[in-house]
Amino acid sequence: MLFTELQSILQSPIWQTAPLLPIEHIAVDSRKLFVPENTLFVAIKGKNHDGHHFLAEAYEKGVRNFVIENEKVALPFRERGINYVVVKNSIRAFQKIVAWHRSKFTYPVMAITGSNGKTIVKEWLTQLLAEEFNIVRSPKSFNSQIGVPLSVWQMRAEHTLGIFEAGISQVGEMEYLQRVIQPTIGVMTNLGSAHDEGFKNREEKLEEKLKLFENCSVVFLPANLVENYPKVVEKFPKKNPQAQVFFWNYELSVSKNAVSFVKKGFQLTCKLNSTLLPFQDEAYLQNMALCAILMHFQFKIPTQEINKRLALLKPVSMRLELKQGIQQTYLIDDSYNNDLAGLQIALDFLANQDQKPAKVVILSDILESDLSGKKLYQQVARLISAKKIGFFIGIGEKIFEHQEAFRDIPLTAFYKDTEDFLSKGFFQQLRNCVILIKGARKYAFEKIVQKLEYKAHRTVLEINLDALVNNLNFYRSRLKPETKIMVMVKAFAYGNGSVEIANLLQFHRVNYLAVAYADEGVELRKNGIHLPIMVMNPSEESFSLLAEYHLEPAVYSFEILQKLADFCESEHLSLKIHLEFDTGMRRLGFEPQDVGVLLGILQKVPFLKVASLMSHLAAADEEQHDDFSLKQIQTFQKITQNLEKKLPYKFLKHILNSPGIVRFPEYQMDMVRLGIGLYGVEAGGKFQGNLQPISRLKTVISQIKTISKNDTVGYGRKGKVNQKSRIGIIAIGYADGLSRAFSNGVGKVRVRGKLVPILGNVCMDMAMIDLSQVPDAQVGDEVIIFDETHTIQDLAKAIRTIPYEILTSVSERVKRVFYSE
Ligand SMILES: *Cc1c(COP(=O)(O)O)cnc(C)c1O
């Protein structure tokens, strides 16, 4: 596409002073660009972000083509050359552009909607139909107003089938997705409770969803809709007389084949013998049945063949995991599939990791593409170069054959297969870098992951980076756009992992970070964090570190101020400092009456520059203390006004912590200090529903034994049972963060969906649990200490502490795995 074509597609006037290079990519995020010269940047105004603010950044990176709502941002670039089109609504314009692109292709396009299972059905169909079709599909679960056009934009002439997901959260959205996808085959997985809040009732939601299928020639709906929503279902064929509407269903059977089919009029039933299928969970059976029905009735695959392929189905993992590797590496484990769209997403994720100086990609042959080998690997090489990857390792016959395509990458190595790579022992040289490991399943890259993975014991804290971003955005949405955010990453980012979390926060453009001690700040600096960092407890011994690593101390007493001034004077340095006032917490801080003396000193030491003034609320989360909080705020305001009058320069003012942000938004001043809320706990309680729990602590059962009524369990013989019982020994103890206060039934953990009590005293590295309620538990089973349903709030309540303590107690020896869905 050429930029000038937008004039007729969008019916809007264009400005064109930059050369016309073909548009191959469309981007909505200036941080996620591939080949900027060939990119169209769409500036979208969202709830928390406005793409227009990043136009300049995209321009500097080389983008010249823009869709914008506000012409002002483009004016400064007119002389230097820019192409832009001004529209009323960028999202709608984006959708129109992609709808135009979509209409160029005549191969079948399937749209999948429904409350659950869209992604898995799409991914499985892609596995199951790989022999017949070259499929273009939504990456991950891209199914929103922006995700859908990003997906459909990937359609190319060489594909032979499109499979796209569509998801909505309120009335009026589906027609836009329909126009982008223009599906010919419609599929609904089910209708459940997801997004009910956006609709009057389920009928309305169903009607909205069905709009996706207008103009489809064939539609597959779940059979239970007929009973549950007869009126809506009756209307559908009348509105869409050209469509053949089928109702799909499944039932369990004991026949000798995994699946067989029955057709009665428009009722299609798949009979499943679950014992012959790779997954037995109810939800999986439903998804497999739907895939089988589509293969049989739509794609006419022989039943025998369907049986064969279903047996080989592989689990679907959409997760990108960031783990600690050996030799100071991080691994991004994406060893499940490999296609071009997935590669772009994984490369973006890699490019965002600035913790290490070097980035490495280990990539297998790409199987799910029909581009000719040479063209395909040239395209891959361009993506790799675009992300400035210094070292590329290709594994597989095809990539080996086409290694010429990668000649522009500084360092490369190629191997014919995974065994060859592993046997050369070369990976031992990978040090101090972030490594993306991405391979199609048959290359068994999990073997590479196993070799490189850092093996701590089997207790793991999993951290959901998407949930963190959700929580950050919730607090952002409560702030004025100009209010800055300082995020507290003290205490290992509340126990989660400071380097990784700081890196994510840097990517998401928070303004400041804060740590308790200088060492924590140094650790961040050594791992690629360049945001300003405040240190709350600077000690005299740490002054030279502060200076060397550009850390900004909070100064809370005359003593420390004087020592800092002496240090700067003798070293001929200047430092930014933050003045902390005690307005009622009775913790660190100057007293309000210190202001006069303080001013006198500050005027004599101009090399100490006040970057901000701060105070801390003692009870921001509790309504009963609101008068006290307001008094603290007033006291602080008096102090700031006084200093503002007398200091010759500007500084920031801040007093709100997480509960303060939601409870006293009118006092957000220049900056807020976000802590616990980012980590998923709304201390005030009222907005807990807006936050997502970010972590899950889990371990495994190491051993199971049966004990008799007379036995006792553990130290001090505290654990007792009143009948012959099965007990499990689990691999987590108080040294890992499972407080000893959970001993003797005070704490519970979850095994196979059931909460079971801790038996006896928690030991240092392990604990015992009562498995009488879970007779099918086995050694190796996962044991959940806390997660989104058995929450840290529940744990805190059980031992009468606060969630902060549960979070920060998870010891550093517990392995952290960070993931993004
Ligand atoms: C820890 C801390 C915060 C953050 O508090 P939350 O309740 O976790 O939001 C803010 N300010 C100071 C000075 C802190 O020590």
Side-chain angles (χ1 to χ4, degrees), residues 488 490 494 534 536 580 587 614-616 656-659 673-677 683 804:
M488 312 310 279
K490 59 192 181 194
Y494 288 46
M534 179 178 88
M536 292 197 295
E580 180 166 11
R587 206 170 72 172
M614 63 184 277
S615 187
H616 193 38
L656 300 182
N657 58 357
S658 314
R673 298 189 306 273
L674 178 60
I676 192 83
Y804 294 73

Side-chain angles (χ1 to χ4, degrees), residues 508-557:
H508 286 280
R509 303 186 167 108
V510 308
N511 307 88
Y512 250 99
L513 297 175
V515 293
Y517 297 100
D519 293 346
E520 296 174 297
V522 172
E523 176 73 8
L524 294 180
R525 285 282 182 259
K526 284 189 173 159
N527 288 282
I529 303 300
H530 46 72
L531 286 176
I533 299 175
M534 179 178 88
V535 176
M536 292 197 295
N537 302 275
S539 62
E540 198 177 351
E541 301 76 50
S542 71
F543 287 170
S544 53
L545 285 179
L546 296 178
E548 185 181 348
Y549 289 95
H550 302 284
L551 305 172
E552 305 172 12
V555 174
Y556 52 82
S557 71

Side-chain angles (χ1 to χ4, degrees), residues 302-566:
T303 307
Q304 219 182 353
E305 190 63 24
I306 299 177
N307 274 298
K308 213 168 83 194
R309 291 187 200 172
L310 281 177
L312 300 174
L313 265 189
K314 296 288 188 301
V316 169
S317 170
M318 291 288 109
R319 254 162 87 149
L320 278 168
E321 288 191 345
L322 179 70
K323 314 178 184 178
Q324 274 159 2
I326 54 170
Q327 303 162 168
Q328 280 108 47
T329 58
Y330 278 102
L331 311 180
I332 298 173
D333 180 1
D334 195 6
S335 54
Y336 293 100
N337 67 66
N338 200 6
D339 57 40
L340 277 178
L343 178 62
Q344 284 199 16
I345 293 172
L347 283 173
D348 263 332
F349 191 70
L350 173 66
N352 301 345
Q353 309 303 327
D354 289 329
Q355 304 97 310
K356 298 288 171 191
K359 298 191 169 89
V360 181
V361 172
I362 305 180
L363 188 77
S364 78
D365 283 358
I366 292 191
L367 303 178
E368 302 166 27
S369 172
D370 242 22
L371 284 178
S372 83
K374 191 166 166 208
K375 229 173 115 191
L376 173 66
Y377 291 104
Q378 279 171 345
Q379 204 165 335
V380 172
R382 276 176 68 192
L383 294 178
I384 305 273
S385 303
K387 288 297 176 196
K388 310 216 166 21
I389 305 302
F391 187 12
F392 178 82
I393 300 170
I395 297 176
E397 306 246 337
K398 283 274 169 345
I399 210 161
F400 191 88
E401 186 185 321
H402 293 285
Q403 50 182 282
E404 178 59 16
F406 298 87
R407 62 178 178 272
D408 290 339
I409 295 164
L411 255 174
T412 56
F414 295 87
Y415 300 87
K416 287 205 169 126
D417 57 46
T418 310
E419 292 308 325
D420 188 26
F421 170 70
L422 289 172
S423 69
K424 300 267 158 61
F426 180 76
F427 58 86
Q428 285 157 8
Q429 295 174 28
L430 297 171
R431 282 173 193 281
N432 205 22
C433 52
V434 189
I435 310 168
L436 168 64
I437 301 170
K438 185 158 177 61
R441 214 169 270 278
K442 77 171 212 201
Y443 293 90
F445 273 15
E446 62 274 8
K447 288 189 197 154
I448 302 179
V449 174
Q450 274 165 20
K451 289 260 186 198
L452 290 171
E453 199 172 354
Y454 174 75
K455 287 176 201 66
H457 58 315
R458 290 180 295 172
T459 302
V460 176
L461 184 69
E462 291 185 337
I463 294 142
N464 180 344
L465 298 176
D466 302 326
L468 264 164
V469 174
N470 167 78
N471 298 345
L472 175 65
N473 284 339
F474 166 70
Y475 285 96
R476 271 215 167 112
S477 73
R478 319 286 300 180
L479 297 173
K480 293 187 221 129
E482 63 274 17
T483 307
K484 294 184 161 44
I485 300 183
M486 171 185 271
V487 177
M488 312 310 279
V489 292
K490 59 192 181 194
F492 207 46
Y494 288 46
N496 293 291
S498 30
V499 168
E500 300 81 359
I501 298 222
N503 185 71
L504 183 81
L505 294 167
Q506 179 162 285
F507 179 71
H508 286 280
R509 303 186 167 108
V510 308
N511 307 88
Y512 250 99
L513 297 175
V515 293
Y517 297 100
D519 293 346
E520 296 174 297
V522 172
E523 176 73 8
L524 294 180
R525 285 282 182 259
K526 284 189 173 159
N527 288 282
I529 303 300
H530 46 72
L531 286 176
I533 299 175
M534 179 178 88
V535 176
M536 292 197 295
N537 302 275
S539 62
E540 198 177 351
E541 301 76 50
S542 71
F543 287 170
S544 53
L545 285 179
L546 296 178
E548 185 181 348
Y549 289 95
H550 302 284
L551 305 172
E552 305 172 12
V555 174
Y556 52 82
S557 71
F558 288 117
E559 190 191 349
I560 198 120
L561 181 66
Q562 195 56 54
K563 283 186 175 152
L564 206 53
D566 294 347

Side-chain angles (χ1 to χ4, degrees), residues 213 215-219 236-237 240-245:
F213 304 142
N215 300 326
C216 280
S217 53
V218 51
V219 178
F236 179 74
N240 303 275
Q242 78 293 354
Q244 248 191 316
V245 185

